[in-house]
C-alpha cells in the first residue's frame, strides 16, 4: 500500500479476502484523509457507476470522458478506496478505478476473484504494475462444500431475515427505508441481528455475497419476477431519482410486471448511450421498441449496435424507419447514423456516400446541409480524396451554420488532411477547433493523428510520442479508443526506428479493432506488417500484410501509402531488395497522386532505407519545401548513403 497505488487480494469466494482487506484498511486507514468502501454486485445488466453511487454524483449531461473526469476530481483527493468483488464492477466503474490508480490520486485496496469475465481494467491494474498482487489459495478450500454450508446457513435463518435477503437478491443494495417498506422494520432488525445483512455506507447489503447466490438458487423465475415487481413499485414512489437510480429502475422494470412508460425506458437507453454503456443502452432500447416511441428507440439501438461493431444488426434496426413520414429534424437524426454505419461498419462507402447525397437533396435548411457536408468530408478523406475532403471541410468551417457535430467532423478531417498534405502550420488550430466543439470521442484520435504526424515530420518525435501516449491515457482502457491510441503510439515508434516497441501495441490494437469496421483496423494491420518486416520476420509480416490487404478498401484508401510500405518491408524481410524498393516507390507515387505530400516524403525516406539510389532526387522533386524539414533532411541523408553504396544486394 505504501509503495504503489495499492494492492489486490485475489482468490476464490469464501477464503477471507473481505476480512483481510478490512483488517488491512483498519491498519493503514489513519495514513489517509478518509477511507471509503465500495462493493460491486452481480447485477445483470450491470448499471454504470452503481458501485460508486454513494460516493459520486453522475452529472445529467456530458459524455463518458467528462463524466469520468468529474468522478476522478471527486474521488482523487488522496483517500483510500476499499473495493470488494472488483471483478463484478461495471465497465465504467472499472475504468474509474484504473484512472485513479494511474493518476496516483487515490489509493486502492481491492478484492477480486480471478475471473476472466472481469472488465479489462481490473486485471490491467496488476499487469501494468499499478498495484501489488497477493494471491490467497488456502489449502483444502472446496467451492462445492462452501456453497453447501452457505445454503445450510441461509436455511437456518429466521423467515423474516430470509425475506430481506430475497429482496436483496433482485436489488442489492437497498436503503433501510425501502427494505423496511418491502418487508417490515422488524424483519430488517432480525436480518441485521442474525448477520444475514449488514448496514454500510450505501445501504443494506448481504452479510456475504454468497448468501444471495444461495437465495437465488432456491427461488424460481416467477418468484424473482414477483420480487422484482415489488421492488420496482417501491422505488417508483421516490419521485425523480438521480441518473444511476433511473438506469437501475429501468433495468429492473424490464423483467417485472410493472413496466415503466416507454418514454422513460427510451430516455434511460439514451442515458446509457451517453455514458458509453452500449450493452445496457441496447437492452433498454430493445425493450422500448414497438411501444409508441419507435423512432427514438430505433435510433438509440442503432447507435448502440453500430458502436459495438454489429453493423448488420444496426442497419436492420434503422431500416425499419420510414423516412417518408419524418420531419427534417427526424430525417437528419436517422440519416447520420445510417450513413456512418454503412460507410464503416458495413464497409459500403459508395452506398453511404450516395445515400448522403440523396438526403442532402431532401433537406432545405442550411444547417442540415452543412452537417451532411461535414460527414461527407470525413467520408471523402477516408476514401483518399483529400482535395474534396479539404474543400468540403473548409466550406463547413466557414459557413457560420455549422453546429458542434459538424465542426467536430469538419475540423478533425481538415486537420488530418493538412498534416498528410504537409501543411503543418494549419494542424494545431484545426485540432483545437475540433476539441472546442465538444465532440471529443473518436474524433480526438483523428485530430490527434494529425498532430503526431506533424510533430514526427517536423523533428519533434519525442513530443509526438508524448502526445500519442496522452491520447492512449485519454481513452483509459475504454475500447476502441485505447486501441486507436496504441496504434498512434506504435506509428510514432516505427517512425523513430523502434519497431520492437510497436509490435505488441499493434497486436493488441488489431485484435480490438478487427470487429469494429473502423478504418483504423486496416491501418493497424498495415503498420504491424511494417514493424514485423523491419524486424526481419517475413512469415509474421506476411500474415499481417495478408490481413491488411483483405480488410483494405475504399473506406481506408487514405492509408494506401501505408499498405504499399507494408508490402515494401515484408519484401525486405524476405531479402528481396528489388521488390522492397519498388513497393516503397509505389507508396510514394500513391501518396503523391492523392496530394499526401508528407506521406510521399515518408515513403521516399523508407525507399532510401531500403537502398533506393534515386530517392534523393525524388525527395527534392516530389516533396518541395518539406525536404527542408528535420525529417526531410534525415531522409536526404539516408538517400545520399543509399546512392553512395551498391544497393543491388543491399540488406536493410
Amino acid at each position: 500500500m505504501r509503495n504503489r497505488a495499492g494492492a489486490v487480494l485475489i482468490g476464490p469466494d469464501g477464503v477471507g479476502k473481505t476480512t483481510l482487506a478490512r483488517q488491512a484498511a483498519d491498519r493503514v486507514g489513519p495514513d489517509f484523509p478518509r477511507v471509503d468502501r465500495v462493493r460491486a454486485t452481480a447485477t445483470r445488466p450491470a448499471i454504470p457507476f452503481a458501485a460508486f453511487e454513494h460516493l459520486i454524483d453522475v452529472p445529467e449531461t456530458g459524455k463518458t470522458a467528462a463524466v469520468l473526469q468529474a468522478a476522478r476530481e471527486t474521488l482523487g483527493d488522496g483517500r483510500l478506496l476499499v473495493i470488494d468483488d472488483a471483478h463484478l464492477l461495471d465497465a465504467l466503474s472499472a475504468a474509474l478505478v484504473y484512472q485513479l490508480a494511474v493518476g496516483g490520486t487515490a489509493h486502492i485496496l481491492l478484492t477480486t476473484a480471478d475471473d476472466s469475465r472481469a472488465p479489462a481494467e481490473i486485471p490491467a491494474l496488476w499487469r501494468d504494475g499499478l498495484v501489488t498482487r497477493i494471491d490467497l489459495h488456502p489449502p483444502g478450500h472446496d467451492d462445492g462444500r462452501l456453497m453447501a454450508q452457505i445454503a445450510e446457513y441461509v436455511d437456518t435463518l429466521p423467515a423474516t431475515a430470509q425475506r430481506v435477503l430475497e429482496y436483496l437478491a433482485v436489488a442489492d443494495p437497498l436503503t433501510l427505508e425501502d427494505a423496511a417498506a418491502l418487508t417490515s422494520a422488524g424483519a430488517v432488525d432480525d436480518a441485521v441481528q442474525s448477520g444475514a445483512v449488514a448496514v454500510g455506507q450505501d445501504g443494506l447489503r448481504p452479510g456475504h455475497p454468497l448468501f444471495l447466490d444461495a437465495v437465488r438458487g432456491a427461488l424460481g423465475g416467477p418468484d424473482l419476477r414477483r420480487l422484482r415487481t415489488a421492488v420496482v413499485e417501491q422505488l417508483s414512489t421516490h419521485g425523480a431519482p438521480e441518473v444511476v437510480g433511473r438506469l437501475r429502475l429501468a433495468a429492473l422494470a424490464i423483467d417485472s410486471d410493472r413496466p415503466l412508460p416507454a418514454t422513460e425506458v427510451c430516455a434511460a437507453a439514451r442515458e446509457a448511450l451517453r455514458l458509453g454503456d452500449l450493452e445496457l443502452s441496447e437492452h433498454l432500447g430493445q425493450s422500448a421498441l414497438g411501444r409508441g416511441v419507435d423512432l427514438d428507440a430505433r435510433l438509440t439501438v442503432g447507435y448502440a449496435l453500430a458502436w459495438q461493431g454489429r453493423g448488420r444488426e444496426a442497419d436492420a434496426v434503422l431500416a425499419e424507419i420510414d423516412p417518408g413520414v419524418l420531419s427534417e429534424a427526424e430525417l437528419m437524426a436517422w440519416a447520420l447514423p445510417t450513413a456512418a454505419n454503412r460507410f464503416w461498419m458495413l464497409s459500403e462507402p459508395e452506398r453511404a456516400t450516395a445515400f448522403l447525397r440523396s438526403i442532402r437533396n431532401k433537406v432545405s435548411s442550411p444547417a442540415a446541409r452543412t452537417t451532411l457536408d461535414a460527414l461527407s468530408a470525413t467520408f471523402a478523406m477516408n476514401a483518399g480524396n483529400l482535395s474534396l475532403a479539404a474543400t468540403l471541410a473548409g466550406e463547413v468551417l466557414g459557413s457560420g451554420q455549422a453546429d458542434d457535430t459538424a465542426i467536430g467532423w469538419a475540423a478533425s478531417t481538415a486537420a488530418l488532411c493538412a498534416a498528410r498534405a504537409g501543411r503543418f502550420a494549419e494542424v494545431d488550430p484545426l485540432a483545437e477547433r475540433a476539441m472546442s466543439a465538444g465532440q471529443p470521442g473518436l474524433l480526438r484520435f483523428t485530430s490527434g493523428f494529425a498532430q503526431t504526424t506533424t510533430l514526427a515530420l517536423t523533428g519533434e518525435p519525442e513530443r509526438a510520442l508524448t502526445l500519442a501516449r496522452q491520447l492512449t491515457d485519454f481513452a483509459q482502457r475504454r475500447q476502441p479508443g485505447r486501441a486507436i491510441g496504441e496504434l498512434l503510439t506504435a506509428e510514432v515508434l516505427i517512425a523513430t526506428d523502434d519497431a520492437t516497441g510497436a509490435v505488441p501495441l499493434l497486436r493488441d490494437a488489431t485484435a480490438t479493432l478487427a470487429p469494429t469496421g473502423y478504418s483504423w483496423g486496416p491501418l493497424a494491420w498495415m503498420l504491424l506488417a511494417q514493424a514485423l518486416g523491419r524486424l526481419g520476420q517475413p512469415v509474421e509480416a506476411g500474415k499481417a500484410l495478408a490481413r491488411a490487404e483483405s480488410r483494405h478498401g475504399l473506406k481506408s484508401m487514405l492509408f494506401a501509402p501505408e499498405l504499399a510500405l507494408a508490402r515494401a518491408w515484408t519484401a525486405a524481410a524476405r531479402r528481396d531488395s528489388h521488390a522492397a524498393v519498388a513497393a516503397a516507390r509505389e507508396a510514394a507515387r500513391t501518396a503523391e497522386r492523392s496530394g499526401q505530400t508528407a506521406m510521399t516524403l515518408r515513403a521516399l525516406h523508407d525507399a532510401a532505407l531500403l537502398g533506393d539510389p534515386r530517392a534523393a532526387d525524388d525527395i527534392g522533386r516530389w516533396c518541395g519545401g518539406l525536404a527542408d524539414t528535420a525529417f526531410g533532411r534525415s531522409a536526404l541523408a539516408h538517400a545520399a548513403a543509399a546512392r553512395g553504396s551498391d544497393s543491388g544486394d543491399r540488406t536493410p
Side-chain angles (χ1 to χ4, degrees):
M1 294 298 297
R2 293 186 178 93
N3 296 332
R4 297 192 183 183
V8 56
L9 304 173
I10 302 179
D13 290 329
V15 300
K17 300 188 299 294
T18 299
T19 300
L20 182 55
R22 185 184 303 116
Q23 292 173 349
D26 290 343
R27 180 171 178 176
V28 303
D31 296 337
F32 299 93
R34 61 180 288 173
V35 178
D36 288 300
R37 302 178 190 277
V38 172
R39 176 181 281 180
T41 57
T43 56
R44 289 292 180 270
I47 306 300
F49 299 113
F52 287 89
E53 185 181 11
H54 62 296
L55 297 177
I56 63 173
D57 293 321
V58 176
E60 298 285 339
T61 59
K63 296 186 179 179
T64 309
V67 173
L68 284 168
Q69 180 179 346
R72 289 197 308 272
E73 291 172 354
T74 298
L75 299 177
D77 55 4
R79 74 183 69 190
L80 172 63
L81 286 172
V82 185
I83 304 171
D84 231 351
D85 293 325
H87 58 287
L88 299 178
L89 286 171
D90 67 275
L92 289 170
S93 293
L96 173 59
V97 171
Y98 186 87
Q99 290 180 8
L100 290 168
V102 166
T105 54
H107 274 65
I108 314 292
L109 179 57
L110 308 97
T111 74
T112 181
D114 196 0
D115 193 332
S116 61
R117 295 168 297 174
E121 293 86 349
I122 298 307
L125 287 168
W126 58 87
R127 290 174 186 165
D128 293 352
L130 299 173
V131 300
T132 299
R133 171 173 176 155
I134 302 167
D135 289 281
L136 302 178
H137 292 293
H141 177 80
D142 184 304
D143 286 338
R145 186 171 70 242
L146 174 65
M147 283 309 302
Q149 292 171 336
I150 292 289
E152 182 180 349
Y153 167 76
V154 170
D155 284 342
T156 65
L157 290 170
T160 49
Q162 291 184 27
R163 185 72 171 160
V164 175
L165 283 176
E166 288 176 352
Y167 281 107
L168 286 175
V170 299
D172 176 21
L174 285 169
T175 66
L176 286 169
E177 294 76 13
D178 285 333
L182 289 164
T183 56
S184 68
V188 173
D189 287 340
D190 289 345
V192 172
Q193 291 298 322
S194 66
V197 301
V199 181
Q201 285 178 293
D202 54 350
L204 203 64
R205 293 277 198 175
H208 194 284
L210 290 178
F211 294 172
L212 298 187
D213 290 342
V215 169
R216 293 188 190 102
L219 292 170
D223 291 328
L224 290 171
R225 188 176 185 88
R226 175 177 47 79
L227 292 164
R228 200 175 287 112
T229 299
V231 171
V232 170
E233 290 174 345
Q234 173 59 29
L235 296 181
S236 298
T237 64
H238 295 325
E242 300 296 325
V243 173
V244 176
R246 293 198 296 269
L247 292 173
R248 179 184 288 110
L249 181 59
L252 278 169
I254 288 176
D255 294 317
S256 77
D257 294 322
R258 172 68 158 73
L260 297 183
T263 53
E264 291 184 26
V265 179
C266 205
R270 289 196 307 272
E271 196 98 68
L273 189 68
R274 169 179 75 88
L275 295 175
D277 192 327
L278 305 181
E279 293 82 1
L280 179 60
S281 178
E282 177 198 350
H283 182 66
L284 294 172
Q286 291 278 18
S287 74
L289 289 177
R291 295 179 56 196
V293 288
D294 205 51
L295 174 64
D296 199 358
R298 287 190 180 278
L299 290 176
T300 301
V301 173
Y303 273 117
L305 289 169
W307 292 347
Q308 292 178 69
R310 295 157 60 188
R312 292 291 170 197
E313 295 174 70
D315 195 53
V317 167
L318 294 170
E320 291 295 321
I321 296 171
D322 179 5
V325 301
L326 302 180
S327 67
E328 183 167 297
E330 291 171 337
L331 183 65
M332 287 292 293
W334 169 73
L336 295 178
T338 299
N341 183 61
R342 289 175 180 175
F343 190 93
W344 281 293
M345 302 307 164
L346 298 185
S347 297
E348 297 175 352
E350 298 96 335
R351 181 186 176 206
T353 302
F355 173 76
L356 273 190
R357 284 198 297 267
S358 71
I359 295 297
R360 197 181 191 283
N361 292 331
K362 295 177 182 178
V363 298
S364 58
S365 77
R369 290 187 170 185
T370 298
T371 301
L372 292 168
D373 288 345
L375 185 54
S376 293
T378 303
F379 287 178
M381 178 189 68
N382 281 273
N385 192 339
L386 269 69
S387 176
L388 176 60
T391 299
L392 288 171
E395 291 173 354
V396 169
L397 295 173
S399 69
Q401 301 290 335
D403 60 14
D404 284 345
T405 298
I407 290 172
W409 278 332
S412 58
T413 294
L416 188 52
C417 287
R420 292 178 76 91
R423 302 191 307 274
F424 298 137
E426 301 174 24
V427 171
D428 278 347
L430 288 166
E432 290 168 8
R433 189 168 182 189
M435 282 294 289
S436 69
Q439 297 288 323
L442 295 184
L443 292 180
R444 180 66 185 101
F445 298 99
T446 302
S447 56
F449 192 19
Q451 291 175 298
T452 58
T453 298
T454 297
L455 290 168
L457 292 175
T458 54
E460 299 187 77
E462 290 304 319
R463 283 188 61 199
L465 194 57
T466 297
L467 176 58
R469 286 171 173 159
Q470 287 174 348
L471 290 168
T472 306
D473 290 341
F474 165 83
Q476 291 289 4
R477 293 276 166 190
R478 300 295 296 156
Q479 299 295 2
R482 184 173 179 84
I484 299 171
E486 290 174 336
L487 180 156
L488 298 190
T489 302
E491 198 265 351
V492 176
L493 289 173
I494 292 171
T496 56
D497 201 27
D498 184 6
T500 300
V503 167
L505 295 176
L506 290 168
R507 289 197 187 281
D508 289 344
T510 53
T512 299
L513 294 169
T516 67
Y518 292 116
S519 304
W520 300 106
L523 177 60
W525 285 111
M526 297 171 195
L527 294 178
L528 180 58
Q530 289 184 37
L532 291 166
R534 286 171 178 263
L535 294 174
Q537 299 181 29
V539 175
E540 291 300 310
K543 291 178 181 177
L545 175 61
R547 291 183 174 93
E549 290 175 330
S550 67
R551 288 162 172 78
H552 178 58
L554 184 58
K555 71 175 183 181
S556 60
M557 197 58 67
L558 175 67
F559 305 126
E562 280 89 346
L563 180 60
L565 288 177
R567 295 188 182 110
W569 286 104
T570 300
R574 296 196 303 264
R575 298 183 177 274
D576 187 345
S577 298
H578 178 76
V581 169
R585 293 186 63 79
E586 177 57 30
R589 285 191 292 270
T590 299
E592 194 269 339
R593 284 194 298 268
S594 61
Q596 300 188 56
T597 308
M599 297 312 300
T600 305
L601 175 60
R602 178 166 282 179
L604 290 172
H605 175 260
D606 281 17
L609 292 176
L610 292 164
D612 182 3
R614 294 181 293 166
D617 294 337
D618 289 338
I619 288 172
R621 180 161 55 91
W622 287 350
C623 301
L626 293 188
D628 195 35
T629 63
F631 191 86
R633 289 189 291 273
S634 172
L636 285 170
H638 284 108
R643 176 184 286 169
S645 66
D646 178 7
S647 60
D649 189 33
R650 189 175 189 274
T651 300

